[in-house]
Amino acid sequence: MTKPLYALSAAELGAAYRSKELSPVEVLRAVNERIAALEPKLHATWLFRPEFALEQARASEARWLAGAPRGALDGVPVTIKDNLATAGDPMPLGTASYDLVPVPEDSPPAARLKEDGTVLVAKTTMPDVGMLSSGLSTFHELSRNPWDLSRTPGGSSAGAGAAAAAGYGPLHAGTDIGGSLRLPASWCGIFTLKPSFGRIPLSTPYMGRCAGPMTRTVEDAALMMQSVAQPDSRDYSELPPPAIDWLAFNVDASFLAGKRVGLLMDAGCGLPLDLQIRKAVLDAAKKIAAAGAHVEEMKPFMTPKMLQGMDHFWRMRSLGDLRAMAPERRAKMLPYIDAWAESAAGFSGEHIFDAYSQFVATRAATIAATVGFDFVISPVSPNMPAPAEHASPTNDPLRSLEHIGFTVPYNMSEQPASSVNCGYSDAGLPIGLQVAGRRFDDLGVLQFSRAFELIRDAQKPWPELQ
């Protein structure tokens, strides 16, 4: 193998295990060493337990030697975000406000990954209660971006994004309610798929919330979807068991020919678009058009009222959670979150009803604007990653969601959307292209993303942090 063992993809590891060229044990040791070397700088993990992971790797090795692996991912290292429960482990949700009480059972994504024999290396970090696009937390150490340690990796799947870019193994599970998979994927230069709502079951479903894979390649994301997009009766919102051949992701560039592609360069709300991001996305659009797609620029369909309504509803929801806490526990919450939530204290019932109505308005507007296209491409974020210490790009709790205008519509419309790296800033930081598809067309988004992988410019080497 020419690449370091920790940097091998899940697909490469599966092939190497089948041929007996590599053992899950030696791969896990390389991943453990990588994490131990970089964590003092990166702080992407929590519950990093090398010996526990080694036990899992030895069990996988025995299955491979016996010719009885559990599947294509047996022995492949994986990390799982703090808020995806793993049996026997506490779930702090990024905040010092909660007791560390072991949870009784695995979340559906964790259960499926364990059933398929993956090796759980660590949980990954997140900000307080997942309501920030950063790694700022009162429980976890501050997560940083491996491309530039002074910058945030994004959030709320902060540690997962940083871990994928830094080479903490190939597979990382995160979640997304307004951009929490795609923002760190964009700012860390990796791939992610926010699937159709209900595609990956959750034990605690909530409007717009999805789990998804965070990987370096589309292929690894497809392999992970094959594992986690399976039925689980605990999710009352799950989609019917999919008859999806996830391995059909592997198309060539001709897949793009003839596709109707919307190009959205104005979110209609929030922060102005950074000129470097604009250039990278327009360059990507030109490559897609040159491959035979019909690319048509779109008018914005989101409005400031829609974004503000969702923000105000979430503030009130969080305020209710905070008011239910004992005062000494609430005092441990990140002050930014407390100030953001407390700003809802004077909202009337009528105002909150109108705010909630913006979720429906966003869903209707998104579907109406995208229905004439096979796919819609856009920036993931209007801005480059903020300083690591900032809670959000504005660092202002009263302007906390102004960077999610491109991402949040697809949570509310329940459409799948990916982030795939499409270029770099002048400072060498990654820039993500968002690819959104029609509802339920998760495979199509993977295929489009794979086709773009084949025609994009050469990628920079992954950061080494030496």
Side-chain angles (χ1 to χ4, degrees):
M1 292 287 178
T2 57
K3 291 193 284 190
L5 296 187
Y6 62 76
L8 293 174
S9 70
E12 290 169 328
L13 289 177
Y17 295 161
R18 280 190 295 274
S19 68
K20 307 294 193 294
E21 183 180 355
L22 290 176
S23 156
V25 172
E26 59 185 314
V27 171
L28 189 276
R29 285 185 173 135
V31 171
N32 279 346
E33 289 172 7
R34 178 71 168 175
I35 296 174
L38 298 190
E39 270 303 89
K41 300 176 182 178
L42 209 57
H43 305 306
T45 67
W46 179 60
L47 289 182
F48 171 47
R49 295 170 291 195
E51 290 304 316
F52 175 58
L54 193 57
E55 291 176 13
Q56 299 170 63
R58 288 187 178 120
S60 174
E61 179 184 63
R63 291 192 293 270
W64 280 105
L65 290 174
R70 292 179 180 173
L73 298 183
D74 202 331
V76 176
V78 65
T79 71
I80 297 176
K81 188 177 175 181
D82 168 348
N83 66 342
L84 290 170
T86 47
D89 297 326
M91 193 168 63
L93 301 179
T95 181
S97 295
Y98 297 138
D99 286 333
L100 297 181
V101 178
V103 298
E105 61 182 6
D106 289 317
S107 59
R112 302 295 86 76
L113 288 166
K114 287 183 179 181
E115 289 164 3
D116 286 346
T118 61
V119 175
L120 176 57
V121 182
K123 301 298 289 286
T124 50
T125 60
M126 61 182 284
D128 280 55
V129 295
M131 289 307 296
L132 302 176
S133 295
S134 74
L136 190 62
S137 166
T138 55
F139 179 82
H140 302 300
E141 294 189 75
L142 177 64
S143 302
R144 295 180 180 274
N145 191 319
W147 292 89
D148 180 345
L149 293 174
S150 74
R151 302 282 113 184
T152 183
S156 63
S157 302
Y168 288 12
L171 301 180
H172 309 273
T175 63
D176 188 315
I177 198 172
S180 290
L181 287 164
R182 288 157 290 163
L183 291 164
S186 175
W187 293 336
C188 292
I190 63 168
F191 179 77
T192 194
L193 173 70
K194 181 210 75 68
S196 298
F197 181 74
R199 178 69 72 206
I200 297 175
L202 295 169
S203 46
T204 53
Y206 186 83
M207 177 176 55
R209 184 169 179 254
C210 300
M214 302 181 78
T215 61
R216 287 183 170 185
T217 66
V218 176
E219 180 176 27
D220 276 3
L223 289 172
M224 199 165 172
M225 288 298 293
Q226 191 169 259
S227 174
V228 295
Q230 298 295 331
D232 194 296
S233 60
R234 290 174 288 173
D235 189 341
Y236 54 77
S237 66
E238 69 174 346
L239 295 178
I244 297 174
D245 178 7
W246 295 105
L247 298 186
F249 83 92
N250 196 15
V251 298
D252 58 32
S254 67
F255 175 84
L256 300 171
K259 297 294 188 296
R260 288 203 63 199
V261 177
L263 172 62
L264 183 67
M265 298 301 296
D266 180 355
C269 56
L271 296 174
L273 183 61
D274 183 285
L275 293 179
Q276 294 179 90
I277 297 174
R278 178 179 177 82
K279 181 181 183 303
V281 172
L282 288 177
D283 286 347
K286 289 176 183 176
K287 289 180 173 63
I288 291 165
H294 303 296
V295 178
E296 178 183 331
E297 191 146 3
M298 299 170 61
K299 295 179 180 179
F301 53 86
M302 283 285 289
T303 67
K305 182 178 181 180
M306 291 174 188
L307 187 61
Q308 183 189 69
M310 289 185 277
D311 182 10
H312 285 192
F313 179 84
W314 281 329
R315 293 186 202 192
M316 183 57 81
R317 182 197 69 171
S318 296
L319 181 60
D321 292 341
L322 291 176
R323 286 178 169 174
M325 291 181 178
E328 62 273 16
R329 294 193 182 280
R330 180 172 176 177
K332 295 178 181 180
M333 185 66 65
L334 192 74
Y336 183 102
I337 294 290
D338 194 89
W340 172 72
E342 190 61 40
S343 68
F347 292 163
S348 67
E350 182 180 6
H351 180 82
I352 291 301
F353 177 80
D354 184 61
Y356 177 78
S357 298
Q358 299 313 307
F359 289 91
V360 178
T362 298
R363 179 187 181 105
T366 307
I367 295 293
T370 61
V371 70
F373 299 101
D374 299 309
F375 302 94
V376 172
I377 58 174
S378 73
V380 173
S381 166
N383 59 287
M384 298 303 298
E389 296 79 9
H390 285 192
S392 69
T394 63
N395 209 31
D396 179 353
L398 300 184
R399 300 175 58 223
S400 62
L401 301 184
E402 296 206 355
H403 56 291
I404 66 170
F406 287 110
T407 51
V408 72
Y410 302 112
N411 294 83
M412 299 313 132
S413 68
E414 305 185 359
Q415 294 170 254
S418 71
S419 175
V420 56
N421 193 58
C422 69
Y424 301 88
S425 71
D426 294 340
L429 296 176
I431 295 171
L433 175 74
Q434 181 170 242
V435 178
R438 293 175 176 169
R439 192 173 176 220
F440 311 131
D441 192 20
D442 304 71
L443 179 59
V445 171
L446 288 176
Q447 290 170 325
F448 190 105
S449 301
R450 173 56 181 158
F452 179 70
E453 269 188 331
L454 297 173
I455 63 172
R456 66 183 175 181
D457 292 339
Q459 301 293 284
K460 293 180 180 293
W462 293 101
E464 286 300 323
L465 282 78
Q466 300 297 340

